[in-house]
Amino acid sequence: MYTKLNELLANPFHSILLSQTVKGAEVDFTKVMVKPFLSKNETLYQFTYTKGKQVTHENMGFDDMLNKVGELLENVFVQCQIYSQDNDYHITHFKNYKLRTQPATKKVETAAHNRKKQYVITEDEGADFLIELGVINKDGTISKAKYDKFRQINRYLEFIADLKDEFPKDRPVRVVDFGCGKSYLTFALYYYITQKLGLSAIVHGLDLKKDVVEHCEALARRLGYDGLTFACGDIKEYSSDLAPDMVISLHACDTATDESFFKGIGWGSKIILAVPCCQHELNPQLKGEQNKGILRYGIIRERLATLITDTSRALLLEAVGYKTDMAEFIDMEHTPKNILIRCIRKGKGNKDALNEYYSLKEQYGGFSQTLENRLKDNGYIK
Ligand SMILES: C[S@@+](CC[C@H](N)C(=O)[O-])C[C@H]1O[C@@H](n2cnc3c(N)ncnc32)[C@H](O)[C@@H]1O
C-alpha cells in the first residue's frame, strides 16, 4: 500500500483529506488535511488535525508524510481523498483497498511543489552499481521491489554526507565495512566518496560468508571500482596495516558489533558507525530485585536488553574519547533494527560516561559485556 500511495503522490498534489474514523480508533481528531508548502526551497507537508473547533498542526518531509498517511489510512481512517494535478483519487481502506479515479478538481500550486525528494543518488543519474544490483531499471526508473532499498541507500548516504568534513582530503579515505553482507551500502559508500565527493577511497568489506564475498568482489572488479575490495573473515581476527578512518558495521550480529567498535577504538579511527542487531548477550544476564516487573515479560525484556546493550556501547565509546550519538537509521516499518550509533573521535575520555555505564551495569545486576571486557583487558578503561 505504501508503494501504491507513493505512486499516487508522485505527481504534485493540492491536498490530501483523510476522514471517517474506523470504529474504536483511539485518536483525538476526526479529520486530517495534508498540504504541501515551500520552506527554504524544500517542500514540506503540513498535517492539520481537526476535532470540532480544535486544530493542531505538524510538519514533515516527504518520506515521513508518506508513512504517516499510510499509517493513518491503515489504522485510523476509512476514506482518503487525494487531489492531485492529474486526477482526484478516492481510496477506501476498510478491510479491502479500493481506488477510484476522477478528473482533477483542484488546481495545484506548483511553486509549493518541488515535490521530488532530493536524494543523494537520484534514480536518473545512471549509477552503475544500482543498475547492477537491480535497484534501478535500465530505463532509469526505480525497481518497485527494491524501492525500500533505494530509500535505505539514500538515507545511509545522508548520514555519511553529514560526516564528510571529517574525511582526509590529502590521501584516500580508508574505510572498513564489517559484516558487509551483500554490500549494497558498501558499494553506495564507495560510489558516494569517489563520484560525488571526488575523493579517492580504499574501502574494504569483510564478511564470514564466502559466496557473498566472492560475488561482491566480482562485481567490484566488473564495475572497475579499483579501491573497493572484499575478503572473507571474522571481524575479531581482522588486522590492517593502515588504520581505517571510518569503521562501519551495519546489522552485524550480536557481539560482532562490539568487536567492530573495539577494532575502531584500537585503530583510533576518526569515525565509527554501527547499526547493531540481535543483541542477545545481556538478555539472560539482566536481574535486580527492583527490575523484576520490567523483566517479567519476554518481549519487553528483549527490547530492554537491546536498549541497555546499545546504551552501554555508546557510554563506553564516550568513555574512551568518542563523541557519540544515536539516530533513527530507517523507519520502523522496514526493520526494528534501526538505531544508528554514530561516534566521532575527540580524543579526551569521559569519566562521567564511564561512571554512568558502571551504574547502569550495577542497576541490572552486574552483567558481563563484550566491549567492556575487551576495553578492560587491553587497558583502555579500569
Ligand atoms: C544482516 S547482514 C547485514 C549486511 C549489511 N551490512 C547490511 O546492512 O545490509 C549481517 C552480516 O554480518 C556478517 N557477520 C556476522 N558476524 C560476523 C563476524 N564476526 N565477522 C564477519 N562478518 C560477520 C554475516 O555473515 C552477515 O552477512
Side-chain angles (χ1 to χ4, degrees):
M1 147 131 115
Y2 290 83
T3 312
K4 190 81 204 156
L5 265 179
N6 186 50
E7 275 169 25
L8 295 182
L9 300 177
N11 291 314
F13 62 87
H14 172 277
S15 55
I16 304 171
L17 177 65
L18 292 144
S19 59
Q20 197 186 331
T21 50
V22 177
K23 223 174 167 191
E26 286 182 13
V27 285
D28 52 7
F29 43 81
T30 50
K31 190 172 81 172
V32 176
M33 174 76 88
V34 184
K35 278 191 164 183
F37 68 100
L38 255 194
S39 166
K40 294 185 196 144
N41 280 335
E42 189 194 357
T43 302
L44 292 180
Y45 298 85
Q46 180 165 74
F47 281 62
T48 305
Y49 300 89
T50 309
K51 181 173 189 185
K53 285 186 179 159
Q54 233 177 354
V55 171
T56 52
H57 297 291
E58 187 181 19
N59 298 336
M60 59 189 80
F62 182 79
D63 286 349
D64 290 336
M65 178 277 292
L66 185 65
N67 283 327
K68 187 89 179 182
V69 170
E71 215 176 280
L72 287 170
L73 187 53
E74 214 157 52
N75 304 314
V76 179
F77 290 109
V78 178
Q79 309 287 347
C80 173
Q81 201 80 37
I82 300 172
Y83 299 102
S84 91
Q85 184 169 260
D86 303 335
N87 290 300
D88 287 357
Y89 300 106
H90 184 177
I91 304 170
T92 314
H93 191 269
F94 186 63
K95 292 186 183 151
N96 286 320
Y97 174 94
K98 275 191 208 138
L99 173 70
R100 241 181 329 117
T101 306
Q102 290 173 325
T105 56
K106 292 194 195 285
K107 191 170 172 343
V108 174
E109 283 284 333
T110 42
H113 230 301
N114 176 23
R115 194 237 25 101
K116 236 178 164 184
K117 183 172 163 56
Q118 286 309 300
Y119 286 116
V120 180
I121 301 180
T122 56
E123 66 254 50
D124 48 12
E125 72 183 59
D128 47 5
F129 78 98
L130 285 179
I131 297 171
E132 284 282 345
L133 292 169
V135 176
I136 299 291
N137 300 315
K138 291 226 163 73
D139 63 1
T141 56
I142 306 171
S143 153
K144 275 194 184 141
K146 295 270 173 74
Y147 177 72
D148 286 348
K149 206 73 209 162
F150 179 74
R151 275 185 56 199
Q152 187 200 33
I153 287 169
N154 274 290
R155 178 82 176 126
Y156 173 62
L157 293 180
E158 282 171 19
F159 284 115
I160 301 291
D162 286 344
L163 297 166
K164 65 177 186 291
D165 293 344
E166 308 286 344
F167 293 167
K169 307 289 180 299
D170 54 345
R171 59 163 175 81
V173 185
R174 300 194 289 255
V175 184
V176 62
D177 189 344
F178 285 136
C180 56
K182 289 185 186 157
S183 301
Y184 286 74
L185 298 177
T186 326
F187 278 94
L189 178 80
Y190 184 82
Y191 179 90
Y192 174 73
I193 297 177
T194 55
Q195 305 294 311
K196 296 278 179 179
L197 298 183
L199 300 173
S200 64
I202 299 173
V203 178
H204 191 59
L206 187 86
D207 203 282
L208 290 171
K209 293 181 192 145
K210 189 163 174 281
D211 54 338
V212 174
V213 163
E214 282 172 2
H215 176 82
C216 294
E217 180 63 23
L219 178 56
R221 302 290 66 78
R222 206 159 61 238
L223 290 169
Y225 286 12
D226 294 339
L228 177 61
T229 53
F230 294 88
C232 190
D234 192 324
I235 300 164
K236 227 194 296 187
E237 316 300 333
Y238 182 79
S239 67
S240 171
D241 296 337
L242 294 171
D245 303 298
M246 177 153 74
V247 174
I248 296 174
S249 79
L250 304 171
H251 305 125
C253 318
D254 201 8
T255 54
T257 300
D258 297 289
E259 302 296 355
S260 308
F261 277 132
F262 180 60
K263 288 286 175 191
I265 293 166
W267 285 314
S269 300
K270 183 76 188 169
I271 304 165
I272 310 179
L273 297 180
V275 178
C277 78
C278 317
Q279 296 91 332
H280 299 312
E281 187 179 37
L282 299 195
N283 189 337
Q285 301 184 61
L286 297 180
K287 44 185 193 256
E289 195 55 35
Q290 74 281 20
N291 305 317
K292 270 191 162 167
I294 193 97
L295 295 174
R296 176 186 280 264
Y297 303 101
I299 189 165
I300 301 292
R301 184 184 177 102
E302 191 184 314
R303 289 188 189 179
L304 183 67
T306 298
L307 296 176
I308 295 173
T309 305
D310 291 340
T311 307
S312 297
R313 289 162 168 167
L315 289 171
L316 288 166
L317 263 296
E318 298 261 9
V320 296
Y322 282 83
K323 184 177 169 295
T324 298
D325 67 7
M326 311 235 193
E328 182 145 64
F329 184 47
I330 38 174
D331 44 67
M332 294 293 273
E333 185 204 338
H334 301 102
T335 171
K337 302 162 193 165
N338 71 336
I339 289 185
L340 170 73
I341 307 180
R342 195 165 36 182
C343 316
I344 311 225
R345 185 167 173 74
K346 295 291 170 199
K348 199 163 170 289
N350 181 336
K351 267 195 188 147
D352 290 345
L354 186 60
N355 290 335
E356 284 165 24
Y357 167 70
Y358 283 133
S359 88
L360 181 69
K361 173 174 164 162
E362 194 184 314
Q363 189 189 332
Y364 284 94
F367 45 74
S368 162
Q369 205 278 337
T370 296
L371 182 58
E372 182 205 333
N373 298 341
R374 296 269 179 276
L375 293 175
K376 257 198 187 142
D377 292 347
N378 290 277
Y380 289 92
I381 55 167
K382 286 200 183 115

